[in-house]
């Protein structure tokens, strides 16, 4: 667990996280990898984890009728993937596809939700860290929509 704790501690998303919270988060963590072209998750599936990207990159995509998959953002090392685990019904609202080999830390969502419910300070800390990501992803999606569906003059 020591190596996993170090990786979580050093990931930019958890910079400055209190030691007691770091231990709780690490207790929900495991190493994972995704080959190029494979999906970290698909829209509509159960949002049962989020990922700290350590190596590689992934495209966040929405599928649109008549156009197929449209990437609205690319995430890479030092970033996170997956915010749908925070809000019921805990279903993914977009796809995440590995563009190359991705190595990540998977954080078990149910485990972390339970720990956050038991320790509201941890839950508040997670919300403070995830809200900027959610707002940024919403903004990226909006810009992509303007690009794809922009008005014609």
């Amino acid at each position: 667990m020591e190596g996993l704790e170090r990786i979580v501690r050093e990931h930019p998303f958890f910079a400055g996280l209190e030691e007691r919270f770091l231990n709780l988060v690490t207790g929900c963590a495991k190493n994972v990898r995704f080959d190029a072209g494979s999906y970290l998750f698909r829209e509509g599936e159960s949002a049962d984890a989020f990922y700290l990207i350590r190596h590689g990159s992934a495209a966040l995509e929405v599928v649109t009728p008549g156009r197929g998959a449209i990437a609205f953002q690319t995430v890479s090392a030092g970033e996170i993937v997956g915010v749908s685990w925070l809000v019921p019904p805990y279903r993914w609202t977009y796809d995440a596809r590995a563009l190359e080999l991705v190595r990540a830390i998977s954080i078990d969502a149910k485990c972390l939700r339970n720990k956050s419910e038991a320790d509201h300070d941890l839950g508040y800390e997670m919300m403070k860290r995830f809200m900027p990501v959610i707002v940024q992803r919403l903004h990226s999606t909006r810009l992509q929509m303007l690009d794809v569906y922009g008005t014609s003059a």
Side-chain angles (χ1 to χ4, degrees):
M1 188 66 87
E2 183 179 304
L4 202 52
E5 187 174 301
R6 179 187 53 76
I7 292 167
V8 172
R9 177 185 287 114
E10 292 174 356
H11 195 279
F13 184 74
F14 284 120
L17 186 66
E18 288 182 37
E19 194 68 28
R20 68 186 178 107
F21 295 152
L22 181 68
N23 292 333
L24 292 171
V25 170
T26 303
C28 299
K30 68 179 180 180
N31 275 301
V32 294
R33 63 174 275 154
F34 300 92
D35 292 325
S38 64
Y39 286 87
L40 285 69
F41 52 81
R42 301 293 302 255
E43 181 178 354
E45 292 177 344
S46 178
D48 55 6
F50 70 93
Y51 303 93
L52 307 175
I53 305 297
R54 300 179 52 217
H55 169 82
S57 60
L60 307 184
E61 302 171 335
V62 292
V63 177
T64 60
R67 295 184 187 247
I70 298 173
F72 65 89
Q73 187 169 19
T74 300
V75 293
S76 56
E79 296 183 88
I80 66 148
V81 177
V83 295
S84 298
W85 71 276
L86 284 166
V87 182
Y90 310 118
R91 296 268 180 222
W92 295 120
T93 57
Y94 53 86
D95 296 342
R97 182 177 48 84
L99 297 174
E100 58 189 322
L101 173 66
V102 170
R103 288 190 176 94
I105 300 296
S106 173
I107 309 291
D108 181 284
K110 186 174 183 181
C111 173
L112 193 56
R113 281 194 303 266
N114 288 340
K115 289 180 179 187
S116 294
E117 190 62 39
D119 184 339
H120 290 168
D121 290 340
L122 171 64
Y124 180 64
E125 185 65 32
M126 291 298 102
M127 287 298 184
K128 287 192 313 187
R129 290 169 185 273
F130 271 94
M131 283 311 297
V133 174
I134 292 168
V135 169
Q136 190 274 330
R137 299 266 161 85
L138 182 59
H139 182 69
S140 292
T141 304
R142 178 180 171 271
L143 291 176
Q144 185 64 37
M145 286 177 59
L146 289 173
D147 187 44
V148 171
Y149 297 106
T151 60
S152 55

